[in-house]
Each structure stands twice: as structure tokens, then as C-alpha cells.
């Protein structure tokens, strides 16, 4: 079998085990507490804390919704619909990056079509009174509960599949059950030849649910108040612009760390199946019961600032991909870009070359694109104003995630490119924030 996932060695072994076990045990209850606080405790952490103080563990068990038949039905119909779109909608053939063992995965780029069909279908079902999306909001706790358990079972399936029937040579065991379960074993697991599991979990289930739930929250507020507040409109518009950008650029996403480096395990798959639909959508979940009125001018300022950040984040990714696609023969900010030609050796001993862009956004800092990503999240949260902390949890989480990711990526690139990465760090000394960090 191939080597163990590289990601596990970034931190010290003690810290690695501690964080893996903490996340495995704390994330599921956190999702339930987040939902409970947003929907039943006025978004107030203090209210939830007082409840738990008073009722203890039994109180927590009482608020944890049991997965109901309707919750399973909603998840199953949604999942099956998305899987069918992934398999059946037409799309251009796209090749992913060369994997560490020299494979090149092939995809069908039909994400934008699937996104369009999903939103049009969902809104039409509501418009023609065939299915009311408020049902989803009303059963959200049960849905999260079912997702938590269902996705854990799914990760066990991934673990077993990784051992007995890996889809490609990009698979391997670390020899440690917890690490294999947490980080995953296969880089590109598939069912059959064409159904890519990570495209399904990350894009078509996770990211798609973000847009579907954003629309759901809007419709729920409309049902409750007979109108949608401007704060909700700004939040929903920005989240939808972000998800639209994601699907517009989905083939580019298949070149990023999530797909090209992180294997299919609890970290990525459970995260996309449960954490994205709950935590990522949580600012909108909060606004359902907190219809803040911002006024036209403030709403517009926030909207424009948010769209600008999403655009800059998109442009950073676009620059890097355009640069790689054209082998450095493109214009960055109007001129031929400066670059480093970095050679590296694959696990099979082949020597290859990659180009590192040192101009444009990528000349400001090595992970500058995380700055507009975090700011965009701030702008779709700030319509909630500052009465409660919890709507900002996603922004705080994202900041920690991306700062950790910058470290993981730097460490990985340093071991891949050696002296060439050092050269890049000398030329572009800041990791994320130019002049500061
Ligand atoms: P990146 O797009 O930053 O890709 C990192 C990889 O790019 C490196 O591993 C390296 O891969 C290559 N690379 C690094 N430096 C250069 C350079 N100077 N020139 C050319 N190639 C380089 O990865 P991410 O996955 O972190 O980010 C992708 C997008 O996803 C971003 O927009 C990010 O904000 C977003 N994101 C959002 C998250 C969320 O939860 N909302 C979480 C994570 C990311 P190689 O081996 O090919 O050289």
C-alpha cells in the first residue's frame, strides 16, 4: 500500500491525536447545540449555557432531536437527486492535477448545470406549492441529527472501502485506525468508474446544501413575517453569490487541497456532509428569527463590500489557475508574470516541474486569497449586527481553519519543492496578510 496521508505529520504526534479525538467527539454535539441556540434559544449562548447548567447532561440529551422518518426522507431525496444530476447532466471532460502516484483523475464538469437545476427545482416546488421549504427548517434539528449519524456510518464505509477496494493507487493506510478514519485512506474514491465520492460529498451535497438552506431561511422568514428583511436579503444574496462563484469555478476546486491532497475521511467528508450545511449556513439560520432592519444605504454598502471580497477571492484562484493552465504564458495585472520554476520528485521517482507564481495576488502573500475569503464571510454575517456572538462563529472558525491550512500547505509545499519553496518564501515573505503575517 502507498504511504500514509501526508497531512497527519504537520503537527507534533501528541497535538495531532489530541485535535483529531477532540474534533471527532466534539463536532457532533456542537452542531446540535448550535442549531438549538439559533432556533430555540434566541441565538444566545448564555441562554443555552444556563439551560445546560440547570438540566445537566439529561437536559442535553433531551434537546438532541432523534432522526425522524421525514428527516431521512428529505436527506435521501436530496442526496439521490444530486447524485443523479452528477451522473446524468452533460459536462465537459476535465482532467485533475497529477496525483502523488502519477494518476490523473478525470471529471465531468457539470456543477453549474446541477446548481442551476437544483435551485430552479427547489424554488419551483415552493412556487407551485408542491413542497414547502419551511418543512426543512421546521425539521432542521432532526435533519442534522440524521446527518451526524448517517455521515459517521458513511465514513466507516469509506474506511472499509479504502482497505478492501480502493479505486486507485492513491490510497494507503498509516497503520493507525484513528488516523485512517480521520484523514481518510483514498484520495480519489469512486463508485464504479464515474461516480466520484468527493465531488458528491464536497460539492454536490455540501456546497449545494449551503445554497438550498440559504433560500430555505429566506422563505421561512417570509412565512413568519410576511416579508423578508433587508439584513436577510443581504446575507442570502452574498451567500448565493459565493456558492454561485464556487460552482462557476468548480473544476478549479478539483485542483485545490481538499481534492488533490486531503483524502476522503472524517475531516473532509463528514465536514462537508454535516459541518457545511450547519455551521456554514448558521448566520442565515440566526437571521430567520432576528429580522434586523439595516436601511437601504447600509445594506447596499455591506452588499457591495461583500461582493468585492468574493470577486477578489475568485480572482486570486483564477490568476493561479490561468497561470498554471498557460504554463506561465499569460498576463497578470497587465504584464508577463514573474515566476519560479520548481522541480520535485513524485513518489514513483519521476522528476517533474511546477511553476510558482510570484506576481499579482500571489506576490502579495503566499496565501493572500484567504483574506478576502474571511472578509466575505464577515460581510454576510454583519447584517446580524452585534447583539450575539454566535452568528460570528463561522467567521472565527474559518479564520482558524485557514490559518491552519496556510501552515499545512506551506509545510507540504516545503517538503515537495525544497529549495525552490525557500526561494519563493524569500521573494514573498508573508504567509497571509501582507506586511503583517
Ligand atoms: P490553493 O488554491 O491555495 O492551492 C494551494 C496549492 O497551490 C498549493 O498546495 C500548491 O500546489 C499550489 N501553489 C501554492 N503557491 C503557488 C503559487 N505561488 N503559484 C502557483 N501554485 C501555487 O488552495 P486552497 O484549497 O487552500 O484554496 C482554494 C480556494 O478555496 C480559496 O479560494 C480558498 O479561500 C477556498 N477555501 C475555502 C474554505 C472554506 O471553508 N470556506 C476552506 C478552504 C479553502 P501544487 O502542489 O500544485 O504546487
Amino acid at each position: 500500500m502507498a504511504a500514509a496521508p501526508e497531512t497527519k505529520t504537520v503537527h507534533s504526534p501528541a497535538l495531532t491525536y489530541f485535535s483529531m479525538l477532540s474534533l471527532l467527539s466534539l463536532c457532533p454535539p456542537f452542531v446540535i447545540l448550535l442549531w438549538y441556540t439559533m432556533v430555540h434559544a434566541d441565538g444566545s449562548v448564555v441562554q443555552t449555557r444556563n439551560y445546560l447548567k440547570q438540566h445537566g447532561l439529561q437536559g442535553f440529551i433531551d434537546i438532541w432531536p432523534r432522526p425522524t422518518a421525514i428527516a431521512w426522507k428529505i436527506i435521501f431525496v436530496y442526496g439521490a437527486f444530486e447524485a443523479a444530476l452528477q451522473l446524468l447532466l452533460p459536462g465537459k471532460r476535465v482532467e485533475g492535477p497529477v496525483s502523488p502516484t502519477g494518476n490523473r483523475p478525470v471529471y465531468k464538469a457539470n456543477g453549474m448545470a446541477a446548481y442551476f437545476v437544483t435551485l430552479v427545482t427547489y424554488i419551483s416546488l415552493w412556487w407551485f406549492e408542491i413542497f414547502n421549504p419551511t418543512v426543512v427548517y421546521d425539521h432542521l434539528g432532526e435533519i442534522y441529527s440524521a446527518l451526524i449519524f448517517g455521515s459517521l456510518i458513511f465514513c466507516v464505509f469509506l474506511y472499509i472501502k479504502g482497505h478492501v477496494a480502493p479505486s486507485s493507487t492513491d490510497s494507503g493506510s498509516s497503520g493507525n485506525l484513528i488516523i485512517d478514519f480521520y484523514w481518510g485512506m483514498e484520495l480519489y474514491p469512486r463508485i464504479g468508474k464515474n461516480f466520484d465520492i468527493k465531488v458528491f460529498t464536497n460539492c454536490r451535497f455540501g456546497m449545494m446544501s449551503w445554497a438550498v438552506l440559504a433560500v430555505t431561511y429566506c422563505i421561512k422568514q417570509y412565512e413568519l413575517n410576511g416579508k423578508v428583511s433587508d439584513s436577510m436579503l443581504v446575507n442570502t444574496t452574498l451567500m448565493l453569490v459565493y456558492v454561485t462563484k464556487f460552482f462557476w469555478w468548480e473544476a478549479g476546486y478539483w485542483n485545490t487541497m481538499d481534492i488533490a491532497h486531503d483524502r476522503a475521511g472524517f475531516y473532509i467528508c463528514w465536514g462537508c456532509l454535516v459541518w457545511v450545511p450547519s455551521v456554514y449556513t448558521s448566520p442565515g439560520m440566526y437571521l430567520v428569527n432576528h429580522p434586523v432592519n439595516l436601511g437601504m444605504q447600509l445594506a447596499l454598502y455591506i452588499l457591495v463590500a461583500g461582493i468585492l471580497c468574493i470577486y477578489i477571492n475568485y480572482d486570486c484562484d483564477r490568476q493561479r489557475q490561468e497561470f498554471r493552465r498557460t504554463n506561465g504564458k499569460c498576463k497578470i495585472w497587465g504584464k508577463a508574470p514573474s515566476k519560479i520554476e520548481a522541480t520535485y520528485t513524485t513518489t514513483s521517482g519521476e522528476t517533474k516541474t511546477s511553476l510558482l507564481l510570484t506576481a499579482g495576488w500571489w506576490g502579495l502573500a503566499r496565501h493572500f486569497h484567504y483574506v478576502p475569503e474571511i472578509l466575505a464571510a464577515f460581510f454576510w454575517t454583519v447584517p446580524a449586527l452585534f447583539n450575539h456572538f454566535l452568528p460570528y462563529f463561522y467567521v472565527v472558525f474559518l479564520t482558524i481553519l485557514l490559518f491552519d491550512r496556510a501552515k499545512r500547505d506551506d509545510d507540504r509545499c516545503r517538503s515537495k519543492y525544497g529549495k525552490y519553496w525557500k526561494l519563493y518564501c524569500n521573494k514573498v515573505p508573508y504567509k497571509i496578510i501582507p506586511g503583517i503575517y
Side-chain angles (χ1 to χ4, degrees), residues 241-280:
V241 170
Y242 181 86
V243 182
T244 309
K245 175 219 81 163
F246 175 85
F247 280 107
W248 175 260
W249 162 87
E250 190 194 43
Y253 173 70
W254 297 333
N255 292 290
T256 68
M257 280 177 78
D258 283 4
I259 299 289
H261 306 305
D262 288 336
R263 299 184 183 206
F266 177 88
Y267 176 77
I268 275 290
C269 294
W270 193 91
C272 289
L273 294 170
V274 187
W275 202 249
V276 172
S278 53
V279 173
Y280 284 43

Side-chain angles (χ1 to χ4, degrees), residues 4 59 64 82 106 164-165 247 254 307 358 363 397:
W64 190 310
E82 291 307 325
V106 173
V164 301
F247 280 107
W254 297 333
I307 290 177
T358 58
F397 157 79

Side-chain angles (χ1 to χ4, degrees), residues 97 207 210 242 245 249 253 255-258 261 276 280 313-314 316-317 320-321 323-324 344 354-358 362 366-367 369-370 373 394 397-398 401-402 405 409 412-413 416-417 421 424:
M207 290 303 290
W210 192 348
Y242 181 86
K245 175 219 81 163
W249 162 87
Y253 173 70
N255 292 290
T256 68
M257 280 177 78
D258 283 4
H261 306 305
V276 172
Y280 284 43
N313 172 259
Y314 163 78
C316 296
D317 291 331
R320 180 173 85 79
Q321 271 154 27
F323 169 78
R324 281 270 171 102
Y344 66 97
S354 283
L355 292 185
L356 296 173
L357 174 63
T358 58
W362 294 82
R366 299 194 297 280
H367 305 274
H369 55 330
Y370 294 158
E373 173 89 34
Y394 172 65
F397 157 79
L398 184 70
L401 175 92
L402 293 181
R405 196 179 173 92
D409 194 46
R412 197 190 67 78
C413 289
K416 178 175 176 181
Y417 296 121
W421 190 255
Y424 179 36

Side-chain angles (χ1 to χ4, degrees), residues 161-329:
K161 181 181 172 320
H163 269 292
V164 301
S167 300
S168 78
T169 47
D170 286 298
S171 165
S173 170
S174 63
N176 180 306
L177 186 145
I178 300 170
I179 291 175
D180 286 351
F181 181 78
Y182 184 87
W183 283 121
M185 297 187 54
E186 288 192 76
L187 192 56
Y188 296 112
R190 294 206 163 179
I191 295 174
K193 194 167 164 271
N194 295 323
F195 191 76
D196 190 281
I197 292 181
K198 268 163 72 184
V199 170
F200 177 73
T201 55
N202 298 22
C203 309
R204 308 311 172 79
F205 195 102
M207 290 303 290
M208 197 72 80
S209 75
W210 192 348
V212 168
L213 285 171
V215 171
T216 304
Y217 299 149
C218 234
I219 292 174
K220 181 66 190 181
Q221 197 188 65
Y222 180 72
E223 189 193 75
L224 286 174
N225 303 328
K227 63 179 176 140
V228 181
S229 63
D230 54 11
S231 51
M232 181 59 114
L233 280 177
V234 172
N235 168 270
T236 312
T237 308
L238 286 179
M239 295 208 295
L240 286 181
V241 170
Y242 181 86
V243 182
T244 309
K245 175 219 81 163
F246 175 85
F247 280 107
W248 175 260
W249 162 87
E250 190 194 43
Y253 173 70
W254 297 333
N255 292 290
T256 68
M257 280 177 78
D258 283 4
I259 299 289
H261 306 305
D262 288 336
R263 299 184 183 206
F266 177 88
Y267 176 77
I268 275 290
C269 294
W270 193 91
C272 289
L273 294 170
V274 187
W275 202 249
V276 172
S278 53
V279 173
Y280 284 43
T281 71
S282 60
M285 201 192 304
Y286 172 86
L287 284 169
V288 172
N289 295 319
H290 300 84
V292 182
N293 213 342
L294 297 171
M296 178 75 108
Q297 201 177 19
L298 183 57
L300 273 179
Y301 282 150
I302 298 174
L303 188 68
V304 170
I307 290 177
L308 189 69
C309 289
I310 296 171
Y311 171 74
I312 295 175
N313 172 259
Y314 163 78
D315 200 48
C316 296
D317 291 331
R318 189 198 59 76
Q319 266 186 4
R320 180 173 85 79
Q321 271 154 27
E322 182 69 2
F323 169 78
R324 281 270 171 102
R325 193 183 61 77
T326 58
N327 213 8
K329 292 184 185 66

Side-chain angles (χ1 to χ4, degrees), residues 8-74:
K8 73 180 193 302
T9 53
V10 169
H11 302 295
S12 73
L15 183 61
T16 304
Y17 281 111
F18 177 75
S19 36
M20 281 191 302
L21 290 173
S22 306
L23 289 173
L24 278 165
S25 52
L26 296 179
C27 288
F30 180 83
V31 167
I32 297 301
L33 285 174
L34 177 78
W35 159 79
Y36 173 80
T37 309
M38 292 299 197
V39 175
H40 295 295
D42 195 32
S44 161
V45 177
V46 176
Q47 206 169 307
T48 299
R49 196 199 57 195
N50 290 345
Y51 168 83
L52 290 176
K53 237 172 152 178
Q54 214 178 338
H55 300 276
L57 183 64
Q58 188 53 47
F60 176 56
I61 294 169
D62 291 343
I63 61 171
W64 190 310
R66 308 294 170 260
T68 52
I70 181 146
W72 286 117
K73 215 155 106 184
I74 289 171

